[in-house]
Amino acid sequence: MIKICPDAISETIIAQLKEYNLMFNFEYTGTVLKLGDNITQIYGLNQVMSGELLEFEDKTIGIALNLENESVGAVLMDISHQITEGSLVKATGRIAEIPVGPNFLGRIVNPLGIPMDNKDNIKNDGTRLLEYMAPGIINRKSINEPLQTGILSIDTMIPIGRGQRELIIGDRQTGKTTIAIDTILNQKISNIICIYVGIGQKASTIAQVVNILKDNDAMSYTIVVAANANDPVSLQYIAPYAGAAFAEYFMYKGKATLIVYDDLTKQAAAYRQMSLLLRRPPGREAYPGDIFYLHSRLLERAAKLHNDLGGGSMTALPIIETQASDVSAYIPTNVISITDGQIFLSNDLFNAGIRPAINIGISVSRVGSAAQTKVLKSIASKLKLELAQFTELESFSKFASDLDIETQKQLARGIRLRELLKQSQNSPLTVSEQIALIYSGIQGYIDTISVDNIKNYIDNLVFSLRSSKNLYTDTIESMDKLTLEAENSLIQHIQISKSFFIL
Ligand code: ATP
Ligand code: MG
């Protein structure tokens, strides 16, 4: 006969229950309650932190964003997951981070640091938090070194310094990406590490960008971080932070870096979509209340660090797309107020063939001129003045029938200066070339060239300066001074270059 011993049975059950509790520790594990559009509601995870990485049963990664009384709202980083209601989730104890390191240079990765270029795995040098606190005032230094874009009108009139945040803003197809890419191309000789973050773009557009970078040997010092339009909105949302984490890795090692966010309008839209699905209360234009913080905490991370911290820098070029040139919309005004200036691109100028289509009148750089090189600065102030006078005269002269000779001369000069500032894409100019061009404009050397021939003249002058070592270029590059001898050497180059085109 079997003897039943209730004590032994209850002990066994209690012991098993203990094990069960350990297995399902609701402090750190949970189950999926609801799932839709890559957003989940999770029961459990009582001790999870906001922004903590979660690991689902099928190894999919998620991030906990909404910590509510009864549940946790999280976003998934992968569309092709196998998660269903009831799937288990584990808190990892780690705030979202990505692998970083020098081996990422030359590679295309997604915002989780996973290679997207069908090449080998990348060996990292540690990890960095996606959301990292921006350096405080004491750890910063004021902007004092220029970041040359190679674009004549920007370097002369809207100069950018290392550590600055300069917004590129304009309607669609006005050349925003081109300005950012040309700036990356121009860093070949400057030793600045570049990061291009593509957000919500077509994969073909990113492929084009990568091709331009490859064709111009710029990939060796560039990392491309891409979350395309067909990627989950959660990835599009974290992409800029991932890019900033890569830049910070180099910045805190004392390196100068440049980061392009192309574009933050799409990141804001992704965040709006995510927030609405997470049932966060919508505010103006249906964006959640913390939309300003989305961009401000990102752009605050751009900095010029103090020498005690290695003197590294992160220069940020965020891009914003406007609708019908409306800069007073919600997201544009937010980002304008966070940045240190903006390069405004105009559709009308672009269609009129003035490319890059920069509207000089409303573009500004609030801190960059402190870092501009001396000769460029002195020459640029005259250029700005002449252009401003020209713009005024031009609009006024439309109503006048006969103009005096002086006004006609000023108009002719202005038209030529405007022609001088046109620049094809992917053809950056060095500081000495820029000075040479502006010098020939404001000193009147191009007044005698027909407008149609200005482009040929520019090509000639640049070719002439590049083809042989000369006193002018040497002096500017080594001393940043336009000595009398250097000026004479420059005038000779100008005279030869224009001799074919004199009216
Ligand atoms: P999107 O809104 O689609 O992102 P975008 O504002 O980034 O567009 P780009 O893609 O840079 O604009 O440029 C739009 C088109 O204008 C491209 O075909 C490009 O080749 C051309 N373009 C841009 N800059 C110049 C330039 N300086 N000279 C000639 N063509 C240019
Ligand atoms: Mg673009």
Side-chain angles (χ1 to χ4, degrees):
M1 209 176 105
I2 304 166
K3 194 177 164 215
I4 295 172
C5 177
D7 281 355
I9 294 175
S10 63
E11 254 174 44
T12 316
I13 291 176
I14 288 170
Q16 281 188 353
L17 270 179
K18 266 192 189 152
E19 250 174 52
Y20 183 80
N21 259 342
L22 274 182
M23 223 169 85
F24 289 102
N25 179 350
F26 278 105
E27 311 276 280
Y28 302 107
T29 47
T31 46
V32 173
L33 280 181
K34 266 201 292 188
L35 176 72
D37 297 310
N38 264 22
I39 303 281
T40 63
Q41 290 294 330
I42 299 162
Y43 177 70
L45 294 178
N46 295 349
Q47 289 296 320
V48 78
M49 297 176 279
S50 171
E52 185 169 340
L53 282 182
L54 306 176
E55 193 181 313
F56 290 79
E57 229 175 82
D58 67 339
K59 302 288 178 214
T60 302
I61 296 287
I63 297 184
L65 286 179
N66 271 13
L67 309 184
E68 290 158 25
N69 279 343
E70 300 293 323
S71 64
V72 172
V75 288
L76 302 176
M77 294 292 156
D78 198 346
I79 308 178
S80 57
H81 58 76
Q82 307 290 321
I83 302 167
T84 53
E85 285 167 18
S87 296
L88 290 181
V89 197
K90 245 183 6 198
T92 59
R94 288 178 295 140
I95 294 291
E97 59 187 6
I98 52 158
V100 290
N103 294 339
F104 283 85
L105 289 170
R107 302 296 300 266
I108 308 162
V109 294
N110 81 355
L112 298 173
I114 299 168
M116 307 293 283
D117 47 9
N118 300 324
K119 289 192 199 155
D120 304 343
N121 284 343
I122 306 170
K123 191 165 167 359
N124 59 316
D125 174 25
T127 56
R128 281 199 75 92
L129 292 177
L130 280 183
E131 302 263 7
Y132 191 75
M133 184 96 115
I137 299 266
I138 305 290
N139 294 331
R140 292 177 188 245
K141 205 173 150 189
S142 48
I143 307 290
N144 66 345
E145 284 171 283
L147 184 134
Q148 302 294 345
T149 62
I151 299 166
L152 186 58
S153 39
I154 299 181
D155 287 344
T156 50
M157 290 178 287
I158 324 157
I160 301 174
R162 295 186 187 182
Q164 186 176 342
R165 302 156 298 180
E166 183 76 11
L167 172 65
I168 301 172
I169 184 166
D171 283 0
R172 54 177 302 278
Q173 289 288 303
T174 47
K176 304 184 295 298
T177 305
T178 304
I179 287 191
I181 295 300
D182 283 357
T183 307
I184 293 182
L185 299 187
N186 197 42
Q187 306 315 317
K188 204 177 296 170
I189 38 168
S190 72
N191 225 352
I192 293 182
I193 285 169
C194 301
I195 289 132
Y196 175 85
V197 185
I199 311 156
Q201 303 194 37
K202 283 184 292 193
S204 59
T205 314
I206 297 289
Q208 264 172 11
V209 166
V210 171
N211 277 342
I212 295 176
L213 293 175
K214 273 190 188 149
D215 292 348
N216 292 279
D217 300 324
M219 268 316 267
S220 59
Y221 56 87
T222 306
I223 303 174
V224 175
V225 182
N228 297 339
N230 57 350
D231 284 328
V233 283
S234 47
L235 279 185
Q236 297 179 36
Y237 153 63
I238 63 164
Y241 305 110
F246 280 121
E248 276 165 348
Y249 170 81
F250 295 103
M251 173 171 81
Y252 285 106
K253 286 196 177 322
K255 297 255 168 61
T257 62
L258 165 74
I259 184 159
V260 175
Y261 303 112
D262 193 2
D263 64 52
L264 292 186
T265 324
K266 298 203 180 69
Q267 191 221 4
Y271 188 60
R272 168 169 64 184
Q273 188 179 337
M274 217 172 77
S275 303
L276 290 173
L277 290 166
L278 279 164
R279 300 193 170 276
R280 290 179 173 178
R284 188 172 149 192
E285 290 177 29
Y287 286 105
D290 62 343
I291 191 78
F292 186 87
Y293 183 47
L294 183 81
H295 292 148
S296 63
R297 71 177 191 262
L298 172 72
L299 293 167
E300 272 304 303
R301 287 161 77 174
K304 166 77 187 156
L305 290 181
H306 202 272
N307 288 351
D308 298 347
L309 280 168
S313 64
M314 188 202 304
T315 310
L317 294 180
I319 295 179
I320 285 283
E321 182 184 308
T322 49
Q323 310 280 335
S325 298
D326 181 13
V327 277
S328 60
Y330 190 25
I331 302 298
T333 45
N334 276 355
V335 183
I336 286 173
S337 72
I338 299 166
T339 45
D340 306 307
Q342 72 270 350
I343 296 168
F344 188 89
L345 299 174
S346 144
N347 223 338
D348 296 342
L349 293 178
F350 190 87
N351 293 337
I354 300 174
R355 299 176 191 179
I358 301 171
N359 185 334
I360 301 293
I362 52 175
S363 296
V364 286
S365 169
R366 281 186 271 273
V367 291
S369 66
Q372 204 172 19
T373 58
K374 263 189 279 149
V375 181
L376 202 55
K377 193 173 190 165
S378 69
I379 239 168
S381 63
K382 288 187 199 135
L383 172 70
K384 254 193 265 184
L385 189 69
E386 291 230 9
L387 275 179
Q389 285 171 346
F390 163 66
T391 320
E392 214 166 275
L393 264 187
E394 195 185 28
S395 54
F396 160 80
S397 65
K398 278 183 192 145
F399 304 103
S401 49
D402 54 346
L403 299 162
D404 62 277
I405 305 244
E406 202 46 45
T407 313
Q408 281 177 14
K409 264 194 192 161
Q410 242 178 327
L411 280 173
R413 165 80 60 91
I415 292 170
R416 284 167 177 77
L417 285 178
R418 191 160 65 191
E419 210 60 30
L420 204 61
L421 291 172
K422 288 185 186 171
Q423 190 172 346
S424 354
Q425 52 191 331
N426 313 340
S427 49
L429 294 166
T430 65
V431 176
S432 56
E433 288 157 6
Q434 293 181 353
I435 295 170
L437 289 178
I438 302 297
Y439 179 90
S440 49
I442 56 175
Q443 296 292 339
Y445 288 102
I446 57 170
D447 291 353
T448 47
I449 303 175
S450 74
V451 177
D452 297 341
N453 271 327
I454 300 275
K455 182 160 184 352
N456 294 331
Y457 161 74
I458 296 173
D459 291 346
N460 264 7
L461 181 59
V462 171
F463 180 78
S464 153
L465 289 173
R466 278 183 194 176
S467 53
S468 61
K469 215 170 139 45
N470 59 76
L471 181 71
Y472 160 73
T473 311
D474 286 350
T475 317
I476 293 286
E477 278 173 5
S478 60
M479 296 199 286
D480 187 21
K481 258 191 202 155
L482 192 60
T483 58
L484 204 61
E485 293 85 14
E487 197 167 348
N488 286 334
S489 151
L490 171 60
I491 293 171
Q492 268 178 16
H493 282 281
I494 292 175
Q495 298 289 16
I496 296 169
S497 307
K498 74 175 220 178
S499 57
F500 308 97
F501 308 116
I502 293 177
L503 281 172

